[in-house]
């Protein structure tokens, strides 16, 4: 086909080559030259598959640092850093009992830059656990899980569990003493239903514990097949699930009307967030097609009800904020990675456990309740906690304002009261257990089922469930009831983690300080 | 009224066929997935044999105790016979250490304690340490089979 506008012969080819950079750029960005107008800035967002998960305009409240503290973005940023460093580590890592330890040692001491990459991977994993946890706290106390965001809260809880699972499976890969005994303990937690089937005397009929354990290890014992399964879960299964759910999570944030925000925002509140002059073109009657599409979101959109004057263009304001968080996080992780090495203990030795054999710090609260009963502390209570967390938005349907910290009548007071009461009760319970022991010490021949059901963990949990019901009965507010339970969960997590970290020594005995541990 | 009923009737019928199709699809995919999941459980486990030799009767003078570190088994010799006891904690699988001074086993992971006969004296271990079967070979060599546990208190006279 000939084009009459074409120049003759090779001249047209030369002309096209001359225009190649400009044309390539235009085809890449799907828009005309960037002239800084609102239209091209909007197009930058919605014409790009990666950016159109953001809205074109964003409410200034969402950019308020003291509302979100950027925790969601920091979690996603940690995940990106983990993915990149993790892919780099996979080049050298070898998932076998004979090769794993050696390859991690090589990464640390032989591969150029390997030590830093491994350190950053480790620190980013810690960072992600922390930011995901804090992000959940932010969403809870700003009352942001309410309709229509219930399902996104559930997705968030699943992401939290996935984060912990990724962390655990990664912890096991170096095949050093830490790794070996972590897998051993994890596998026996999976096998712990045998505690109940044994007590009921039905293990020979249905051995759920052994089945779960075998599925996890691919064998009866911890060895090569187990390492391969953990590697598979850590590098393929869990990351893919994570990516899919992160996308769904972020997409739902947008479709549910952006971040939550209160109904009574004043200009004073928005001080310090970016502001833009109102543009005629963006909100004229002749708005472009894509703006029409932007309205297909539930609830309040950026420009509905509150008026457009409190929104700004996402490009560049939202992206600036995101890049800032990403950059700061990366710098922090690099500094940590340069200063503090990820641990690598001696090669796994199946006959000598570490003493004390402690899990990574974010599992220590669980390890403390596991030290009461493996099945109850390792499966039932964590399971109930996850179910409770997912259930929060369905148990508490109160319509209230959201988007401010501790918004709602009595929420702040209830939080403070619960913090004080639960601190006292939990510390009291720990002191009691350390001093007097528990059922097994008093009745050596007691059936295990009683300890599985009645142990310090379940006693505390039931106590606060009763308190939560009492609060709901008295105040007729499910929001306050949930506040009691969630706050108790946080306080117990913090106290138990601290207690297991500092006050548990060899043989899981109580010590006032690690320096008092007996030396061998 | 009549025609309306008819309409909803035929709607139900179409609905039924549709549901059957959807159900068949879900069933087929579900069963296929469940079938594939069986692959997660190998039909032969890649585990080493659970039997091992511990020597002959002369190696166990009365009152002695021998710890087999690789196998995580301790063999006690008492006036009324030998017994082999597991050193794997029944709580979460850590290896208990023989605390000869106190005459007990200590678990380093969560603080379980056992008597030298395997009885739990401190939680969280849910059950006693198992005793394993000891058999004598025709040659006089003694074998311990970790796959077969025997009643606590079952001793073997050599």
């Amino acid at each position: 086909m000939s084009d009459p506008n074409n120049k003759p012969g090779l001249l047209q080819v030369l002309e096209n080559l001359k225009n190649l950079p400009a044309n390539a750029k235009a085809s890449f960005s799907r828009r005309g030259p960037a002239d800084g107008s609102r239209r091209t800035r909007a197009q930058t967002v919605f014409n790009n598959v990666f950016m159109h998960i953001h809205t074109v305009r964003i409410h200034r409240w969402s950019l308020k640092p003291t509302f979100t503290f950027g925790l969601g973005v920091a979690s996603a940023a940690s995940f990106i850093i983990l993915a990149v460093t993790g892919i780099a580590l996979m080049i050298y890592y070898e998932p076998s009992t004979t090769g794993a330890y050696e390859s991690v040692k090589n990464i640390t001491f032989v591969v150029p830059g390997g030590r830093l990459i491994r350190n950053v991977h480790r620190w980013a994993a810690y960072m992600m656990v922390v930011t995901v946890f804090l992000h959940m706290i932010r969403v809870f106390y700003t009352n942001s899980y309410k309709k229509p965001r219930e399902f996104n809260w559930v997705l968030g809880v699943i992401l939290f569990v996935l984060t912990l699972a990724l962390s655990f499976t990664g912890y096991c890969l170096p095949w050093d003493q830490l790794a070996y005994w972590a897998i051993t303990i994890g596998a026996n937690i999976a096998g712990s239903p045998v505690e109940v089937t044994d007590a009921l005397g039905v293990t020979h009929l249905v051995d759920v514990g052994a089945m779960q354990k075998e599925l996890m290890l691919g064998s009866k014992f911890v060895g090569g097949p187990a390492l391969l399964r953990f590697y598979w879960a850590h590098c393929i299964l869990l990351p893919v699930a994570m990516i899919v759910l992160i996308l769904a999570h972020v997409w739902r944030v947008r479709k549910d009307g952006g971040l939550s925000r209160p109904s009574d925002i004043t200009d004073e509140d928005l001080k310090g967030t970016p502001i833009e002059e109102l543009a005629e073109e963006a909100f004229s009657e002749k708005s472009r097609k894509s703006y029409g599409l932007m309205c297909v979101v539930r609830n309040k959109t950026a420009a509905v009800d509150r008026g457009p004057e409190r929104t700004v263009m996402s490009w560049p304001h939202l992206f600036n904020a995101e890049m800032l968080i990403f950059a700061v996080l990366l710098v922090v992780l690099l500094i940590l990675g340069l200063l503090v090495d990820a641990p690598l203990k001696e090669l796994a030795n199946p006959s000598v456990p570490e003493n004390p054999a402690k899990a990574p710090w974010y599992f220590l609260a669980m390890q403390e309740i596991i030290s009461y009963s493996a099945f109850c502390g390792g499966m039932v209570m964590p399971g109930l906690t996850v179910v409770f967390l997912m259930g929060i938005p369905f148990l508490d349907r109160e319509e209230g304002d959201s988007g401010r910290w501790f918004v709602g009548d009595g929420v702040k007071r209830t939080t403070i009261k619960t913090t004080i009461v639960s601190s006292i009760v939990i510390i009291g319970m720990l002191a009691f257990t350390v001093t007097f022991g528990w059922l097994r010490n008093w009745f050596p021949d007691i059936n295990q089922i009683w300890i599985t059901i009645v142990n310090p963990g379940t006693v505390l949990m039931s106590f606060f469930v009763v308190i939560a019901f009492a609060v709901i009965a008295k105040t007729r507010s499910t929001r306050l009831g949930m506040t009691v339970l969630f706050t108790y969960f946080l306080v117990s997590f913090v106290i138990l983690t601290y207690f297991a970290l500092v006050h548990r020594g060899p043989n899981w005995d109580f010590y006032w300080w690690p320096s008092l541990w007996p030396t061998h | 009224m009549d025609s309306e009923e008819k309409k909803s009737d035929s709607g139900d019928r179409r609905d039924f066929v549709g549901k059957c199709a959807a159900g068949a699809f879900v069933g087929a995919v579900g069963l296929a997935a469940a079938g594939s999941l069986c692959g997660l459980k190998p039909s032969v486990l890649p585990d080493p044999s659970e039997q091992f030799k511990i020597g002959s009767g002369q190696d166990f003078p009365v009152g002695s105790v021998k710890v087999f570190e690789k196998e995580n088994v301790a063999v006690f010799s008492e006036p009324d016979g030998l017994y082999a006891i597991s050193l794997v904690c029944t709580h979460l699988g850590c290896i208990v250490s023989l605390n000869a001074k106190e005459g007990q086993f200590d678990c380093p992971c969560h603080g379980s304690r056992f008597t030298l006969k395997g009885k739990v004296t401190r939680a969280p271990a849910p059950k006693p340490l198992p005793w394993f079967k000891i058999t004598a070979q025709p040659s006089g060599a003694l074998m311990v089979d970790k796959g077969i546990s025997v009643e606590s208190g079952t001793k073997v006279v050599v």
Side-chain angles (χ1 to χ4, degrees):
Chain A
M1 250 210 275
S2 68
D3 186 335
N5 295 332
N6 272 0
K7 289 179 185 166
L10 276 176
L11 278 180
Q12 183 58 40
V13 177
L14 287 174
E15 171 87 11
N16 285 356
L17 277 177
K18 205 178 84 194
N19 290 333
L20 189 139
N23 286 337
K25 200 175 159 205
S27 74
F28 173 75
S29 62
R30 287 194 81 240
R31 59 156 163 71
D35 52 9
S37 72
R38 274 159 212 255
R39 186 201 296 167
T40 55
R41 278 154 67 194
Q43 282 175 336
T44 306
V45 176
F46 59 67
N47 275 340
N48 181 305
V49 65
F50 303 107
M51 288 179 184
H52 89 281
I53 208 157
H54 301 88
T55 44
V56 166
R57 295 182 69 82
I58 184 164
H59 199 279
R60 289 172 60 203
W61 182 263
S62 304
L63 294 172
K64 197 175 150 72
T66 52
F67 166 47
T68 64
F69 293 98
L71 291 163
V73 175
S75 307
S78 307
F79 182 71
I80 292 171
I81 294 171
L82 281 164
V84 172
T85 50
I87 289 170
L89 290 170
M90 278 175 79
I91 300 177
Y92 285 99
Y93 178 75
E94 190 190 325
S96 72
T97 49
T98 46
Y101 186 71
E102 201 67 16
S103 66
V104 174
K105 232 163 75 177
N106 280 343
I107 287 170
T108 312
F109 297 108
V110 179
V111 179
R115 180 198 291 241
L116 181 64
I117 290 177
R118 176 165 177 253
N119 290 351
V120 168
H121 193 74
R122 162 61 68 108
W123 283 112
Y126 280 6
M127 184 64 82
M128 187 166 167
V129 173
V130 172
T131 53
V132 167
F133 198 68
L134 292 177
H135 180 55
M136 177 167 74
I137 293 174
R138 191 284 283 172
V139 174
F140 182 85
Y141 286 115
T142 58
N143 203 15
S144 303
Y145 55 80
K146 291 294 167 63
K147 199 178 168 197
R149 297 185 176 81
E150 308 101 308
F151 185 67
N152 218 14
W153 166 270
V154 173
L155 282 182
V157 175
I158 299 174
L159 283 170
F160 175 55
V161 174
L162 278 181
T163 307
L164 292 178
L166 268 166
S167 212
F168 176 67
T169 49
Y171 191 76
C172 296
L173 297 184
W175 207 246
D176 59 351
Q177 277 287 72
L178 282 177
Y180 182 86
W181 294 101
I183 298 195
T184 305
I185 291 177
N188 282 298
I189 289 173
S192 63
V194 80
E195 192 177 314
V196 173
T197 49
D198 264 358
L200 300 174
V202 294
T203 307
H204 59 285
L205 298 175
V206 270
D207 197 349
V208 186
M211 202 183 76
Q212 289 195 131
K213 194 171 155 182
E214 243 171 63
L215 278 182
M216 190 170 175
L217 298 181
S219 154
K220 271 190 199 158
F221 306 102
V222 176
L227 180 58
L228 201 55
R229 278 174 192 225
F230 275 73
Y231 176 73
W232 162 78
H234 187 71
C235 298
I236 286 290
L237 181 72
L238 296 172
V240 168
M242 193 84 168
I243 291 168
V244 171
L245 290 183
I246 288 177
L247 283 177
H249 192 65
V250 178
W251 184 79
R252 278 299 292 251
V253 169
R254 183 189 154 165
K255 289 292 166 183
D256 293 339
L259 301 190
S260 65
R261 58 179 171 274
S263 51
D264 56 346
I265 302 174
T266 62
D267 286 335
E268 191 61 26
D269 284 332
L270 294 175
K271 238 182 179 175
T273 56
I275 190 162
E276 270 181 349
E277 298 280 302
L278 241 192
E280 223 19 72
E281 42 151 337
F283 295 97
S284 67
E285 285 295 302
K286 291 180 288 176
S287 65
R288 296 176 65 85
K289 189 175 122 216
S290 300
Y291 279 112
L293 285 177
M294 293 308 110
C295 296
V296 193
V297 289
R298 282 228 215 104
N299 211 10
K300 296 169 196 162
T301 67
V304 174
D305 193 22
R306 292 294 113 205
E309 71 275 13
R310 281 178 173 161
T311 65
V312 289
M313 296 296 289
S314 294
W315 182 276
H317 301 291
L318 174 58
F319 295 98
N320 282 349
E322 289 180 352
M323 281 300 116
L324 179 72
I325 294 168
F326 190 95
V328 170
L329 192 84
L330 191 57
V331 169
V332 169
L333 292 176
L334 277 172
I335 292 175
L336 283 170
L338 285 169
L339 292 180
V340 191
D341 281 342
L344 184 64
K345 298 241 176 161
E346 54 271 44
L347 179 66
N349 180 351
S351 9
V352 185
E354 296 265 288
N355 193 0
K358 286 193 185 181
W361 59 268
Y362 39 84
F363 283 126
L364 281 179
M366 200 167 123
Q367 198 177 0
E368 178 63 29
I369 50 173
I370 282 169
S371 77
Y372 309 137
S373 154
F375 179 61
C376 185
M379 295 195 77
V380 176
M381 295 198 23
L384 284 179
T385 306
V386 169
V387 169
F388 157 71
L389 287 175
M390 285 188 186
I392 286 178
F394 304 100
L395 295 172
D396 167 28
R397 308 284 306 166
E398 268 164 45
E399 302 220 352
D401 214 0
S402 61
R404 261 185 228 281
W405 281 83
F406 302 111
V407 66
D409 280 342
V411 171
K412 196 167 194 173
R413 217 165 36 114
T414 307
T415 307
I416 294 172
K417 267 187 175 171
T418 312
T419 307
I420 295 170
V421 171
S422 53
S423 304
I424 294 170
V425 174
I426 294 165
I427 293 172
M429 184 56 109
L430 287 172
F432 176 86
T433 317
V434 165
T435 318
F436 300 108
W438 199 252
L439 293 170
R440 177 71 63 192
N441 304 70
W442 312 329
F443 316 102
D445 294 313
I446 191 171
N447 190 325
Q448 178 64 23
I449 198 87
W450 297 112
I451 298 174
T452 308
I453 297 170
V454 183
N455 61 57
T458 52
V459 169
L460 282 173
M461 206 179 201
S462 326
F463 179 71
F464 281 94
V465 169
V466 170
I467 294 215
F469 277 121
V471 166
I472 294 173
K474 196 180 145 204
T475 62
R476 296 179 173 275
S477 162
T478 47
R479 168 73 180 153
L480 291 183
M482 292 304 117
T483 307
V484 168
L485 283 176
F486 189 79
T487 310
Y488 156 68
F489 161 67
L490 290 185
V491 174
S492 61
F493 183 86
V494 172
I495 292 183
L496 291 180
T497 304
Y498 163 80
F499 186 78
L501 191 68
V502 177
H503 296 306
R504 288 297 191 184
N507 299 339
W508 212 247
D509 281 333
F510 174 81
Y511 291 91
W512 282 107
W513 211 246
S515 57
L516 299 174
W517 291 2
T519 47
H520 297 285
Chain B
M1 187 69 196
D2 221 351
S3 70
E4 235 180 70
E5 231 167 53
K6 226 177 185 174
K7 206 172 162 188
S8 83
D9 235 32
S10 78
D12 276 354
R13 221 174 294 139
R14 227 172 285 143
D15 221 32
F16 175 72
V17 175
K19 274 182 184 154
C20 281
F25 176 75
V26 172
V29 173
L31 284 176
S36 326
L37 280 179
C38 290
L40 286 174
K41 195 176 178 308
S43 35
V44 175
L45 292 178
D47 298 329
S49 161
E50 299 195 81
Q51 293 188 32
F52 65 101
K53 282 188 184 151
I54 56 170
S56 63
Q58 294 96 294
D59 300 334
F60 299 93
V62 170
S64 72
V65 48
K66 233 178 173 178
V67 174
F68 295 84
E69 280 213 343
K70 209 174 124 242
E71 288 84 7
N72 295 319
V73 168
V75 177
F76 284 81
S77 175
E78 299 194 331
D80 50 345
L82 293 177
Y83 67 93
I85 188 167
S86 165
L87 297 181
V88 180
C89 180
T90 52
H91 180 228
L92 291 177
C94 289
I95 307 305
V96 298
S97 57
L98 174 61
N99 183 344
K101 206 171 70 193
E102 313 265 340
Q104 65 190 23
F105 293 114
D106 294 332
C107 180
C109 291
H110 300 97
S112 295
R113 269 186 210 137
F114 305 87
T115 64
L116 294 183
K117 301 275 186 286
K119 194 170 173 264
V120 183
T121 52
R122 195 174 115 176
K127 53 183 177 182
L129 295 172
W131 289 29
F132 294 133
K133 191 176 184 185
I134 303 179
T135 45
Q137 305 288 96
S139 62
L142 298 172
M143 296 274 280
V144 169
D145 190 343
K146 291 203 285 175
I148 304 175
S149 40
V150 293
E151 192 101 356
S152 298
T154 315
K155 294 180 187 174
V156 174
V157 185
V158 192

